[in-house]
Amino acid sequence: MGGPRHGVGLTGFASMPPVPPAVPSSKELEVLVRIRDLLTGGRFALLTGAGLSTDSGIPDYRGPGSPPRSPMTYQEFVKAAENRQRYWARNHIGWSHLRHADPNQGHFASAELERRGRLTGLITQNVDRLHQEAGSVNVVDLHGRYDQVVCLACRRTYSRRLLAGMLEELNPDFLPRAEESGLVEMAPDADATVEDQALIASFVVAVCPACGGILKPDFVYFGENVPKDRVETSYRMVDDAAALVVAGSSLTVMSGLRFVRHAARDGKPVVIINRGTTRGDDKATIKLEAGVSESLTWLAAALPPLAGARDGAGFSGPIRN
């Protein structure tokens, strides 16, 4: 397999400046009107991916210009202590450098659609928790959440912020040494490329305060299965819906694609809003190649509330600057 593989960084942090949503073009508006007409009669399930968070400054792993990555698998993480040491050393540096992202207009529009009673539920492949920050309530974090770590032995969870303090106490001079080495390159996902192997070898990894078990970020790694309860809840959201809308996902991994196939198999319309091709395009009733934030913002303003909406107030454009 060659040399040691780089660890996947903690997502949910911005490395690029936020981008305000653009105004849909005339051609995009034509398609949005068709989507509005398709969705007007009932509720729909909303599946979101990384393309929704790019306007918040979080890079899209598979978008144009994204650098190639070789993420550490779950099997590699649990197999060897040195793999975990490398992962947490790099991640500790990345955490100290990158700023937290804020919800964008697309996140607020998603929350508004829920308040208007338009959604059976929201399924997100993102781990950044920006939907919840924007006010969405009925959310399945399909791939987990960046702001927690979990003990693989006792299953207790802790905040990532708490872990940062624990790692700082265990490694009080590590960050200054990393800065002095001059060999640290920041990656766009709260990871860091560190060539100083002696520096990494000196890093002390924190263990579970309750049982001494292995701590792992509480999101789904490559080679790890999405928990069954999340999948079942997501299927119920799709089953209760008249249609499925996919926003900002390339549907590259089966964890999201299965819901598109499920809806199509049941004869339900599938709307895909994404720049670039997706694995679900052949199942799409309508495909819109446009920005996700501006498209959801337009739909939140155009679709009327349904019975049972939490908030009957009108929505007429940008929710938050």
Side-chain angles (χ1 to χ4, degrees):
M1 292 180 60
R5 296 184 63 185
H6 298 313
V8 63
L10 190 69
T11 58
F13 281 73
S15 64
M16 303 182 300
V19 178
V23 177
S25 68
S26 58
K27 288 186 178 180
E28 291 168 352
L29 283 173
E30 291 178 8
V31 183
L32 282 168
V33 169
R34 290 172 52 208
I35 295 173
R36 178 203 62 192
D37 294 344
L38 178 68
L39 300 176
T40 294
R43 298 191 300 162
F44 58 92
L46 179 60
L47 170 65
T48 66
L52 177 59
S53 291
T54 54
D55 285 351
S56 293
I58 299 175
D60 184 346
Y61 283 87
R62 298 179 179 89
S66 297
R69 291 180 175 84
S70 298
M72 182 178 290
T73 66
Y74 176 77
Q75 291 74 19
E76 289 170 324
F77 184 85
V78 299
K79 179 180 179 180
E82 55 266 31
N83 290 345
R84 295 189 293 276
Q85 182 184 50
R86 185 172 69 254
Y87 177 92
W88 284 119
R90 293 160 56 103
N91 190 268
H92 185 51
I93 297 171
W95 176 275
S96 71
H97 277 72
L98 298 183
R99 62 180 177 81
H100 190 278
D102 293 317
N104 62 53
Q105 301 287 15
H107 295 105
F108 289 110
S110 301
E112 180 64 23
L113 287 166
E114 181 181 23
R115 281 191 292 271
R116 288 178 163 230
R118 303 298 322 194
L119 303 184
T120 59
L122 195 161
I123 309 159
T124 185
Q125 295 174 289
N126 301 333
V127 299
D128 50 39
R129 301 286 288 176
L130 294 181
H131 279 299
Q132 289 84 346
E133 287 192 32
S136 292
V137 176
N138 189 22
V139 182
V140 174
D141 292 307
L142 194 64
H143 293 164
R145 45 191 293 182
Y146 82 91
D147 61 340
Q148 286 186 171
V149 294
V150 61
C151 174
L152 297 181
C154 70
R155 307 308 299 180
R156 287 181 173 87
T157 59
Y158 304 93
S159 75
R160 181 59 181 81
R161 190 176 300 276
L162 173 65
L163 178 62
M166 294 167 57
L167 292 175
E168 184 63 34
E169 288 185 9
L170 291 170
N171 304 274
D173 62 343
F174 182 79
L175 291 177
R177 287 168 55 211
E179 294 288 347
E180 291 171 3
S181 73
L183 299 174
V184 177
E185 179 184 350
M186 294 308 303
D189 53 2
D191 195 6
T193 301
V194 184
E195 302 298 337
D196 189 337
Q197 297 306 310
L199 179 67
I200 292 177
S202 71
F203 190 79
V204 180
V205 177
V207 297
C208 174
C211 75
I214 295 172
L215 293 177
K216 171 191 165 294
D218 196 12
F219 51 76
V220 178
Y221 271 38
F222 285 92
E224 189 177 12
N225 293 323
V226 176
K228 185 178 179 181
D229 60 329
R230 296 179 200 166
V231 176
E232 291 176 345
T233 300
S234 299
Y235 274 130
R236 285 196 296 271
M237 290 177 173
V238 177
D239 288 339
D240 292 342
L244 171 64
V245 175
V246 179
S249 175
S250 63
L251 300 171
T252 301
V253 294
M254 185 56 67
S255 62
L257 181 62
R258 60 180 142 197
F259 302 116
V260 171
R261 292 179 173 176
H262 182 78
R265 192 162 47 242
D266 288 348
K268 296 181 178 181
V270 174
V271 174
I272 297 179
I273 304 170
N274 190 69
R275 292 197 187 278
T277 59
T278 82
R279 284 183 69 193
D281 285 354
D282 62 327
K283 306 295 184 184
T285 309
I286 301 177
K287 168 69 182 296
L288 172 60
E289 294 246 5
V292 179
S293 295
E294 52 261 38
S295 299
L296 290 177
T297 299
W298 191 94
L299 288 171
L303 288 168
L306 290 180
R310 289 190 280 130
D311 184 356
F315 174 57
S316 58
I319 311 170
R320 176 174 166 180
N321 293 324

